[in-house]
């Protein structure tokens, strides 16, 4: 019978590809009255996620609350393709995606997720821990393993990425709990009261009747935590002149078919730009702002850098000087970076990173790609996932152009200067709205 196992898996996979991933439903009545409770989380070393799943979310099945809930678990959170806690996190996210898909009963896959989350915090090989959990819960290890090794789990993971990327309002941190499209933010541990408020059906469960009458009137009233401008990582933004000059810029000639630096950007842990230095954000001391003349003097003090800058980091806009471009980028992205007191190192680092990349970074000019194909092509070259940014051709609004690419790097440390590649936290940007969008890469 062993020869039947691969056949069974591929039949299951074919059926899975045919069907869209949809929230799990049980066979209870009044499904339309159910409240959708969604958890966007990370696996591995996200202690808050593990604690919430193990200590709070499981309470759904300790009471009759599950009778009014459509519970959805989305293993993605802050990671996108980048793994905030390492490659093992991406691996375990994929395993979770496979189990959620092939065991759609939410109670069943929640038990598996709870098991792996509890064990992952204790340490040890990730593969061993999920296999221990699958054995304990009698989930077919072969189906899970083949889901991962055939790449089907990766496809499931990308759908979770797409859903997370399109959340409105956007997900800000993990765990991120949403009740009927409204995030609970920092009040997530009180999710029961918000579920009970949102429920409009006739058969209110005992868990809701036990709630006090002093509930918050609306989820919208929950306070939002203020943004904390702390550097999480960096993006080297490179622009493709043939595209940006056909879409957003009126460019100088000649327009060369090779990526040029746009900037090097400090991003926070949620992939938002770190705000520049100012009265409301005095991120460093002394004041790191420089006028153009002083910045030019710094840059000219390194003769090699001064030659490389206009070649690799030019201002493409007709009539605009290079120094004005560099000054703008420094002000916006350098003054609250790790280089705030070392402007020369800020520019040297960008140039050094760019020199390590090829002119086309794994892509072929005069070609057409899907966003996913472009991401994969770059990954094959640099072994890290980039973020693709698109714009529309101003003479042909239907045509999407690959205009920029963002390559992500870890923060510098005492033992390793800026240069450790990491997977970017989003795969597309700008006019790209899907991994399946078709984009042109002109010469």
């Amino acid at each position: 019978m062993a020869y039947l196992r691969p056949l069974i898996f591929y039949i299951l996979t074919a059926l899975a590809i045919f069907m869209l991933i949809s929230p799990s439903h049980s066979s209870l009545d009044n499904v339309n009255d159910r409240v959708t409770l969604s958890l966007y989380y990370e696996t591995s070393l996200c202690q808050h996620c593990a604690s919430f799943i193990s200590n709070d979310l499981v309470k759904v099945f300790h009471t009759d609350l599950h009778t009014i809930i459509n519970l959805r678990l989305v293993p993605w959170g802050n990671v996108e393709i980048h793994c905030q806690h390492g490659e093992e996190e991406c691996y375990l996210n994929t395993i979770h995606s496979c189990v959620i898909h092939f065991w759609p009963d939410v109670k069943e896959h929640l038990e598996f997720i709870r098991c792996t989350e509890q064990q992952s915090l204790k340490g040890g090989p990730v593969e061993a821990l999920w296999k221990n959990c699958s054995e304990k819960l009698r989930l077919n290890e072969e189906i899970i393993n083949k889901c991962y090794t055939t790449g089907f789990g990766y496809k499931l993971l990308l759908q979770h990425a797409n859903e997370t990327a399109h959340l409105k309002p956007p997900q800000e941190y993990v765990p991120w709990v949403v009740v009927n499209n409204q995030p609970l933010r920092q009040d997530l541990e009180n999710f029961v009261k918000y579920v009970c408020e949102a429920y409009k059906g006739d058969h209110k469960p005992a868990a809701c009747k036990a709630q006090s009458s002093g509930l918050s009137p609306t989820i919208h009233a929950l306070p939002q935590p203020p943004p904390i401008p702390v550097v999480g990582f960096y993006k080297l933004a490179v622009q493709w002149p043939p595209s940006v000059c056909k879409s957003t810029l009126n460019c100088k000639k000649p327009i060369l078919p090779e990526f040029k630096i746009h900037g090097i950007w400090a991003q926070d842990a949620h992939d938002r730009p770190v705000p520049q230095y100012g009265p409301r954000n005095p991120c460093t001391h002394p004041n790191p702002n420089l006028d153009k003349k002083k910045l030019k003097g710094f840059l000219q003090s390194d003769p090699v850098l001064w030659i490389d800058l206009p070649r690799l980091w030019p201002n493409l806009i007709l009539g605009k000087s290079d120094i004005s471009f560099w000054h703008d980028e420094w002000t916006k992205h350098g003054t609250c970076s790790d280089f705030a007191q070392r402007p020369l190192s800020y520019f040297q680092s960008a140039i050094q990173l760019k020199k390590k990349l090829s002119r086309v970074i794994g892509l072929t000019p005069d070609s057409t790609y899907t966003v996913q194909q472009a991401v994969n092509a770059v990954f094959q070259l640099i072994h890290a996932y980039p973020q693709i940014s698109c714009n529309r051709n101003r003479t042909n609004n239907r045509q999407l152009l690959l205009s920029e690419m963002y390559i992500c790097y870890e923060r510098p440390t005492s033992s390793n200067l800026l240069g450790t590649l990491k997977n970017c936290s989003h795969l597309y940007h700008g006019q790209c709205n899907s991994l399946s969008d078709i984009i042109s890469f002109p010469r």
Side-chain angles (χ1 to χ4, degrees), residues 379-404:
F379 180 85
Q380 292 300 315
L381 180 71
I382 67 174
H383 307 296
Y385 287 101
Q387 181 179 8
I388 301 296
S389 183
C390 310
N391 281 315
R392 295 193 179 276
N393 190 332
R394 58 173 165 254
T395 61
N396 179 6
N397 195 51
R398 288 183 160 184
Q399 185 183 39
L400 282 172
L401 302 174
L402 195 165
S403 57
E404 292 196 329

Side-chain angles (χ1 to χ4, degrees), residues 24-29 31 34 66-67 69-70 105-106:
S24 302
H25 298 286
S26 75
S27 58
L28 293 171
D29 294 334
V31 169
R34 288 172 181 252
H66 66 275
T67 63
I69 287 181
N70 168 30
D105 185 304
V106 68

Side-chain angles (χ1 to χ4, degrees), residues 3 65 84 117 130 147 194 218 277 300 339 343 382 416 426:
Y3 69 91
L65 192 68
Q84 187 173 356
E117 288 295 278
W130 78 253
C147 175
Y194 296 107
T218 172
Y277 182 94
Q300 287 178 324
F339 305 92
I382 67 174
N416 194 352
H426 295 85

Side-chain angles (χ1 to χ4, degrees), residues 4 12 37 53 60 75 116 134 143 165 177 186 311 335 350 366 387 425 430:
L4 289 176
L12 288 171
L37 173 65
I53 290 169
V60 167
T116 58
S134 68
I143 288 178
V177 178
Q186 293 182 320
R311 179 174 62 88
T335 53
D366 279 340
Q387 181 179 8
S425 54

Side-chain angles (χ1 to χ4, degrees), residues 117-389:
E117 288 295 278
Q118 288 178 325
Q119 292 198 30
S120 68
L121 293 178
K122 298 176 183 178
V126 171
E127 184 175 9
L129 75 85
W130 78 253
K131 288 185 176 181
N132 288 339
C133 291
S134 68
E135 181 179 359
K136 176 182 176 181
L137 298 170
R138 297 183 180 179
L139 304 183
N140 190 312
E141 178 186 313
E142 187 174 2
I143 288 178
I144 301 171
N145 197 51
K146 286 192 175 179
C147 175
Y148 178 82
T149 57
T150 60
F152 181 61
Y154 178 72
K155 293 179 181 179
L156 298 176
L157 201 60
L158 291 180
Q159 294 191 51
H160 290 158
N162 191 53
E163 177 183 338
T164 306
H166 287 86
L167 283 173
K168 293 182 180 180
Q171 169 252 341
E172 298 172 12
Y173 40 79
V174 289
W176 187 251
V177 178
V178 178
V179 173
N180 281 0
N181 298 319
Q182 295 298 326
L184 303 191
R185 302 188 189 279
Q186 293 182 320
D187 205 24
L188 73 168
E189 292 174 356
N190 293 318
F191 71 90
V192 173
K193 71 178 182 180
Y194 296 107
V195 168
C196 293
E197 276 192 325
Y199 179 64
K200 305 303 180 187
D202 297 327
H203 306 291
K204 186 157 286 193
C208 290
K209 294 175 182 177
Q211 286 290 311
S212 66
S213 58
L215 298 179
S216 301
T218 172
I219 293 171
H220 291 284
L222 290 169
Q224 298 189 28
I228 302 173
V230 176
V231 178
F233 65 100
Y234 288 87
K235 285 181 176 177
L236 178 68
V238 292
Q239 51 190 347
W240 183 250
S243 291
V244 294
C245 297
K246 289 182 178 180
S247 56
T248 58
L249 302 182
N250 182 20
C251 295
K252 304 170 184 175
K253 300 284 179 71
I255 299 171
L256 299 177
E258 59 183 82
F259 279 105
K260 302 294 184 181
I261 299 173
H262 181 172
I264 185 163
W265 303 341
Q267 304 290 112
D268 69 16
H270 305 300
D271 198 5
R272 297 173 300 206
V274 173
Q276 68 187 59
Y277 182 94
R280 295 185 178 181
N281 187 33
C283 56
T284 186
H285 182 80
N287 188 332
N289 285 311
L290 302 168
D291 59 29
K292 292 180 186 177
K293 184 177 180 180
K294 194 167 185 178
L295 177 61
K296 185 176 181 179
F298 270 111
L299 300 179
Q300 287 178 324
S301 68
D302 181 340
V304 175
L305 177 67
W306 188 245
I307 293 172
D308 285 336
L309 276 169
R311 179 174 62 88
L312 300 176
W313 196 339
N315 191 338
L316 300 176
I317 303 175
L318 184 65
K320 299 292 183 179
S321 69
D322 289 341
I323 190 64
S324 65
F325 185 29
W326 302 331
H327 182 262
D328 287 345
E329 288 297 305
W330 163 253
T331 302
K332 291 178 183 177
H333 303 290
T335 53
C336 278
S337 71
D338 289 286
F339 305 92
Q341 299 301 326
R342 297 179 291 124
L344 192 60
S345 294
Y346 176 78
F347 288 92
Q348 289 170 334
S349 295
I351 293 297
Q352 289 168 10
L353 294 179
K354 176 62 177 72
K355 283 183 174 180
K356 293 179 181 179
L357 301 171
S358 68
R359 291 187 174 188
V360 295
I361 316 181
L363 301 173
T364 303
D366 279 340
S367 297
T368 299
Y369 298 89
T370 64
V371 174
Q372 183 64 69
Q373 287 170 339
V375 165
N376 289 342
V378 177
F379 180 85
Q380 292 300 315
L381 180 71
I382 67 174
H383 307 296
Y385 287 101
Q387 181 179 8
I388 301 296
S389 183

